[in-house]
């Protein structure tokens, strides 16, 4: 795109958005299962049916639906552990900030309906090894939990190797939640959305041209100009001042409809997996279509998407390309990926075909190897369910580590 000027826009939402509430509930249930299975395994627990508790055997595909006054949890789960779904749901809703009826949704009075049932044995046998191909080692005995393709992306336009518009939108959403929870702006309510438009010149971000912030607020706040001033001072400026590109001429839109009192599940339904672009790269780079939240690590929709980001980020961090997109594809029950694609959009400093071979040499992308290398059997997933799964500086986000840089360089030497 050399010589081209264009605009690119990404959005984010706060943890109090109903779709993100659903994601967090689903992942909180997954975390509870992983934590309890690990304890039962350590204790040598054996169920009355004679099956020993094993963290590796736990399976979770949990979906959540929210509407006015009601949370419905459904899905397919296999575990020897008992988890209190009602308690988990109410704790997540409380911690997000819906802790009184006047907010339109209340953790104490909302109805919670549990419709979880056992995982299909037809699906389980593919993951458990019945259809897993190859006898090279034990890693071949875990097949992919489903078919599909997954993408990972990285770019050098931000320090965390994320696209600038997505990074800014996520940062503003986090900031919006922080000033509410810290009491800086005590009239704010949990629901909110951000959107940032960035102008690119020669494929480099040079200017923020527009910002949209929509935030739920106390009905007693009538002065929309006050909210706008507070958003610029406490949310927008602190984020944009730190990235080194122009923004003072940006068009700023705060609560464009003029009022945002009714929010959360009272204002709109929430559903797990409905914010997959917010969860990833803000529309920059492609998406395979699979959601993450509520799924255990045998589901390649999640684990392979994390692995693809890990690969792409290491390629860029190694200086082998300025931008990198990785596609992986799998068949249910088959351990090895069916295809691996590396696209650097013409920014590679090495031959792309050699780079693709180096990726295959350095990264073991079988599900069992991904689970091992990224340590995905830990209860770390609820915090991934708001503010993006990528570009986060958190030690538990192992797919963000650039720990294969030297191996990639050596493979290309």
């Amino acid at each position: 795109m050399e010589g081209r000027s264009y605009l690119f826009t990404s959005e984010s939402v706060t943890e109090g958005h109903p779709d993100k509430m659903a994601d967090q509930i689903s992942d909180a249930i997954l975390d509870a299962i992983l934590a309890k299975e690990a304890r039962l395994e350590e204790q040598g627990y054996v169920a009355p049916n004679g099956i020993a508790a094993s963290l590796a055997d736990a399976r979770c595909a949990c979906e959540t639906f929210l509407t006015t006054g009601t949370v419905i949890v459904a899905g397919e789960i296999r575990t020897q552990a008992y988890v209190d779904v009602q308690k988990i749901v109410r704790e997540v809703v409380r911690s997000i900030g819906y802790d009184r009826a006047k907010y339109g949704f209340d953790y104490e009075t909302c109805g919670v309906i549990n419709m979880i049932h056992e995982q299909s044995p037809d699906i389980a046998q593919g993951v458990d090894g019945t259809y897993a191909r190859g006898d090279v080692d034990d890693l071949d005995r875990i097949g992919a939990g489903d078919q599909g393709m997954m993408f990972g992306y990285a770019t050098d336009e931000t320090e965390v190797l994320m696209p600038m518009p997505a990074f800014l939108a996520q940062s503003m959403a986090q900031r919006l939640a922080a000033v509410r929870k810290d009491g800086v702006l005590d009239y704010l309510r949990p629901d909110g959305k951000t959107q940032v438009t960035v102008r690119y010149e020669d494929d480099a971000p040079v200017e923020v041209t527009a910002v949209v912030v929509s935030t739920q607020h106390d009905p007693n706040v009538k002065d929309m100009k006050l909210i706008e001033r507070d958003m610029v001072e406490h949310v927008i400026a602190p984020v944009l001042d730190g990235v080194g590109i122009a923004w003072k001429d940006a068009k700023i839109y705060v609560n464009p409809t003029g009022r945002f009192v009714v929010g959360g599940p009272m204002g709109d339904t929430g559903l797990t997996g409905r914010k997959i672009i917010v969860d990833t790269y803000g529309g920059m780079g492609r998406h395979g279509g699979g959601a993450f939240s509520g799924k255990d690590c045998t589901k390649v929709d999640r684990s392979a998407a994390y692995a693809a980001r890990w690969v792409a980020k290491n390629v860029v961090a190694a200086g082998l390309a300025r931008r990198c997109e990785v596609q992986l594809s799998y068949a249910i029950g088959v351990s090895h990926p069916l295809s691996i694609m590396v696209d650097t959009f013409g920014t590679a400093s090495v031959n792309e075909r050699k780079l693709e071979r180096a990726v295959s040499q350095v990264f073991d992308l079988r599900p069992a190897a991904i689970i091992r290398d990224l340590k995905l059997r830990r209860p770390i997933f609820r915090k991934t369910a708001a503010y993006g799964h990528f570009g986060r500086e958190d030690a538990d986000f192992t797919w963000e580590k650039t720990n294969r840089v030297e191996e990639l360089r050596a493979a290309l030497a």
Side-chain angles (χ1 to χ4, degrees):
M1 296 183 185
E2 187 176 352
R4 182 185 172 202
S5 175
Y6 60 95
L7 302 177
F8 197 93
T9 301
S10 295
E11 70 161 350
S12 184
V13 298
T14 65
E15 64 207 62
H17 185 282
D19 290 333
K20 280 287 121 196
M21 292 176 68
D23 286 342
Q24 290 169 88
I25 290 168
S26 293
D27 270 340
I29 292 169
L30 169 61
D31 280 354
I33 290 168
L34 294 175
K36 202 155 188 180
E37 280 278 2
R39 289 196 297 270
L40 291 175
E41 185 178 54
E42 288 175 2
Q43 295 164 4
Y45 172 79
V46 178
N49 59 8
I51 298 175
S54 171
L55 181 59
D57 291 337
R59 301 285 182 269
C60 183
C62 181
E63 312 287 343
T64 303
F65 173 80
L66 298 98
T67 188
T68 304
T70 305
V71 180
I72 300 173
V73 181
E76 300 78 45
I77 290 177
R78 185 179 76 182
T79 179
Q80 297 298 327
Y82 168 78
V83 296
D84 190 336
V85 171
Q86 284 256 354
K87 183 178 180 181
I88 293 167
V89 169
R90 296 186 191 283
E91 171 54 27
V92 171
V93 174
R94 184 204 62 77
S95 67
I96 288 169
Y98 288 106
D99 55 4
R100 57 201 72 183
K102 68 179 182 179
Y103 291 175
F105 201 84
D106 175 24
Y107 80 102
E108 289 185 303
T109 60
C110 67
V112 180
I113 301 172
N114 182 356
M115 301 179 67
I116 292 170
H117 58 88
E118 191 173 359
Q119 184 192 43
S120 162
D122 292 345
I123 295 173
Q125 67 181 349
V127 179
D128 293 343
T130 303
Y131 294 127
R133 305 292 192 256
D135 295 313
V136 175
D137 55 44
D138 286 342
L139 296 178
D140 277 323
R141 301 186 187 282
I142 295 181
D146 202 353
Q147 71 175 48
M149 68 284 190
M150 301 82 210
F151 287 93
Y153 184 81
T155 172
D156 66 359
E157 60 196 60
T158 61
E159 289 186 1
V160 293
L161 305 188
M162 286 287 286
M164 182 67 77
F167 172 74
L168 295 178
Q170 297 283 24
S171 298
M172 283 186 198
Q174 286 182 296
R175 181 78 183 167
L176 184 57
V179 297
R180 170 179 63 87
K181 289 187 168 185
D182 293 344
V184 176
L185 301 175
D186 59 4
Y187 62 82
L188 297 183
R189 298 294 181 257
D191 199 355
K193 302 180 78 171
T194 61
Q195 183 174 290
V196 180
T197 300
V198 174
R199 180 169 63 86
Y200 282 75
E201 297 284 354
D202 297 337
D203 254 2
V206 296
E207 179 187 17
V208 174
T209 63
V211 176
V212 183
V213 176
S214 296
T215 180
Q216 186 185 12
H217 60 86
D218 189 310
N220 293 321
V221 178
K222 310 293 186 181
D223 185 354
M224 295 301 110
K225 289 295 183 183
L226 168 67
I227 298 177
E228 181 175 337
R229 289 194 299 271
D230 283 344
M231 290 300 101
V232 172
E233 179 182 352
H234 296 288
V235 176
I236 297 171
V239 171
L240 296 185
D241 283 344
V243 294
I245 62 174
W247 70 275
K248 297 301 182 182
D249 294 328
K251 296 178 180 178
I252 307 294
Y253 300 90
V254 174
N255 286 11
T257 63
R259 180 177 168 86
F260 185 1
V261 172
V262 178
M266 187 178 181
D268 196 4
T269 57
L271 187 64
T272 299
R274 201 156 56 182
K275 285 289 179 283
I276 58 176
I277 300 303
V278 169
D279 283 342
T280 52
Y281 309 101
M284 188 84 73
R286 287 169 282 196
H287 196 294
F292 302 155
S293 290
K295 296 178 182 177
D296 74 84
C297 55
T298 65
K299 278 72 172 175
V300 284
D301 276 345
R302 182 170 220 158
S303 55
Y306 289 174
R309 162 66 175 173
W310 183 40
V311 174
K313 188 171 183 181
N314 274 268
V315 168
V316 174
L320 304 175
R322 292 185 55 242
R323 295 170 61 201
C324 182
E325 184 178 74
V326 175
Q327 187 202 50
L328 308 174
S329 70
Y330 294 85
I332 187 168
V334 178
S335 58
H336 287 270
L338 305 184
S339 66
I340 300 172
M341 181 276 292
V342 178
D343 186 356
T344 65
F345 309 94
T347 68
S349 59
V350 296
N351 180 278
E352 278 198 356
R353 296 187 70 178
K354 291 181 179 179
L355 178 57
E356 211 165 75
R357 288 196 293 270
V359 165
S360 296
Q361 177 183 330
V362 171
F363 294 91
D364 189 341
L365 296 169
R366 291 173 291 175
I370 295 170
I371 292 167
R372 175 200 65 195
D373 293 340
L374 298 183
K375 300 178 175 60
L376 297 181
R377 294 204 191 275
R378 297 168 298 141
I380 59 165
F381 296 106
R382 183 191 160 185
K383 61 184 173 180
T384 70
Y387 312 117
H389 293 246
F390 308 119
R392 306 269 293 276
E393 295 180 321
D394 185 310
D396 285 332
F397 287 53
T398 49
W399 48 94
E400 292 296 310
K401 293 182 177 180
T402 53
N403 53 354
R404 297 291 174 91
V405 164
E406 295 305 324
E407 290 180 63
L408 278 171
R409 289 172 177 160
L412 287 160

